[in-house]
Amino acid sequence: EAKAPAAQVGQTGPLSRDAIENAAYAPPAQPTPQQGSAQPPAQTQAQPDPALIRAQVLLERARFSPGAIDGLAGSNMKQAISAFQKAQGLPVNGQLDAEVMGRLRAVGAGAITTTYQITQQDIAGPYLGAVPTDLAAQGQAEHMGYANIVEALAERFHVTEALLRAMNPGADFNRVGQSLLVPAVNHTPLPADVDHIDVDKSEGSVRAFDADGKLIAYFPATIGSGDNPTPTGTVKVNGVARNPDYTYDPSKLSYGDGKEKVVVKPGPNNPVGVVWIDLNKPSYGIHGTPDPELVGKTASHGCVRLTNWDAWTLADKVKPGVTVRFI
């Protein structure tokens, strides 16, 4: 039986290629209470803004990561804009305006979107289906890969799964050759080796500097928690492990209520994601995450959690002995 023609992507709709490349950004109007009503108007689900998608791609291109690209005006994006404004010598208010967009455009020339065609390898996986969340079940899994092709492609293009679907309405993700509209994200290495790192616990961010003290990358981060706070002071990097196992050893950890040692196999849905940057404080590190959309929004067990792609980018230029300062 012949399949219907593959859905055309990027041509029409609120998140078309043209809208993402060119739409002007207008801050949302503040709702006003209806006259005679004590109840505020019902909150509607925020919809991705094509101009914010463009700004988030440009921020990442300039090395000021907004975390997972979602087209929404969230806290990670505001912090990334603030960091960019500070680096550019602009007034720091975290607001996207014409001056910020102009400078971002100057730093990150080129198209914001590109087209990707799904391959047989993309469809083949292997995928987990349901990702186990219980640590004991994770320890039994053969691998901790992606749940499905949508999660895999979303991570490859640094977007949330919701935005990938919204940019490609009607797309058949199980069709070889299906075209997808995706962000033209930055896959190039950082411009220099990392000399030292600042982890800002109050802001929830990681800044990487070169040997001259120049800021070369900014990343949003999930840092510490009440039951197992992130350390204060200065530590050093021991080394980097890519695609690591994750070991839960209750005799060495101060969190969790597990009684047995569990080793979880590698994969992007491993509890520490695809990278572990080991610090010379036992059981502490900078690492990836199985939930990129939650970075900067949830607590970590004392470690520093980045999106998998940000952790990979940072690890690529980190060597043993790099200083990490918690401030």
Side-chain angles (χ1 to χ4, degrees):
E1 183 179 337
K3 280 192 172 185
Q8 296 298 305
V9 300
Q11 306 302 315
T12 59
L15 300 182
S16 68
R17 185 190 308 274
D18 180 66
I20 293 171
E21 298 287 351
N22 300 305
Y25 175 63
Q30 295 298 314
T32 54
Q34 297 177 353
Q35 188 172 6
S37 171
Q39 298 294 325
Q43 295 294 310
T44 56
Q45 184 72 31
Q47 298 300 309
D49 184 319
L52 293 185
I53 297 171
R54 180 169 75 249
Q56 289 172 345
V57 172
L58 290 172
L59 281 164
E60 184 185 275
R61 210 172 275 180
R63 305 298 189 183
F64 292 84
S65 172
I69 296 167
D70 58 8
L72 304 175
S75 58
N76 284 350
M77 182 173 180
K78 184 173 182 178
Q79 287 187 187
I81 292 172
S82 292
F84 180 75
Q85 289 171 323
K86 182 177 180 181
Q88 291 280 313
L90 297 172
V92 177
N93 59 15
Q95 300 301 310
L96 184 64
D97 56 28
E99 180 68 23
V100 169
M101 281 301 299
R103 297 209 185 190
L104 284 171
R105 276 289 195 191
V107 172
I112 301 301
T113 60
T114 187
T115 302
Y116 178 78
Q117 287 195 326
I118 292 176
T119 67
Q120 181 59 50
Q121 186 176 359
D122 292 329
I123 292 171
Y127 299 113
L128 285 171
V131 177
T133 56
D134 176 76
L135 191 61
Q138 290 180 354
Q140 297 299 314
E142 292 185 4
H143 65 90
M144 287 300 290
Y146 295 111
N148 52 53
I149 187 175
V150 177
E151 184 186 27
L153 292 174
E155 186 143 318
R156 183 181 305 178
F157 296 106
H158 305 179
V159 297
T160 61
E161 293 177 50
L163 182 60
L164 181 63
R165 291 184 183 279
M167 289 175 66
N168 296 282
D172 180 354
F173 287 91
N174 290 307
R175 175 197 286 272
V176 173
Q178 169 71 63
S179 291
L180 301 175
L181 183 67
V182 296
V185 291
N186 193 352
H187 292 291
T188 61
L190 295 179
D193 286 342
V194 174
D195 177 79
H196 59 280
I197 295 168
D198 280 354
V199 178
D200 189 321
K201 295 190 290 184
S202 61
E203 182 182 57
S205 68
V206 168
R207 286 175 168 83
F209 300 86
D210 67 13
D212 295 327
K214 181 183 178 182
L215 177 67
I216 56 174
Y218 165 94
F219 307 109
T222 292
I223 303 171
S225 64
D227 66 333
N228 197 44
T230 302
T232 298
T234 301
V235 296
K236 289 185 180 295
V237 170
N238 282 335
V240 172
R242 295 184 183 273
N243 295 308
D245 290 339
Y246 169 75
T247 300
Y248 174 82
D249 187 343
S251 70
K252 296 181 179 179
L253 300 173
S254 61
Y255 60 87
D257 54 8
K259 303 295 189 292
E260 302 290 331
K261 182 176 178 179
V262 177
V263 178
V264 182
K265 291 185 173 63
N269 275 305
N270 179 293
V272 296
V274 297
V275 176
W276 173 266
I277 300 174
D278 192 51
L279 304 179
N280 66 351
K281 181 175 174 64
S283 80
Y284 284 87
I286 302 172
H287 60 87
T289 177
D291 299 305
E293 71 280 3
L294 298 182
V295 164
K297 301 176 175 67
T298 58
S300 171
H301 291 297
C303 290
V304 181
R305 186 184 302 160
L306 310 176
T307 67
N308 275 336
W309 55 88
D310 284 345
W312 194 274
T313 297
L314 178 62
D316 193 47
K317 293 294 185 176
V318 166
K319 294 180 172 61
V322 164
T323 298
V324 180
R325 184 175 62 150
F326 289 88
I327 57 176

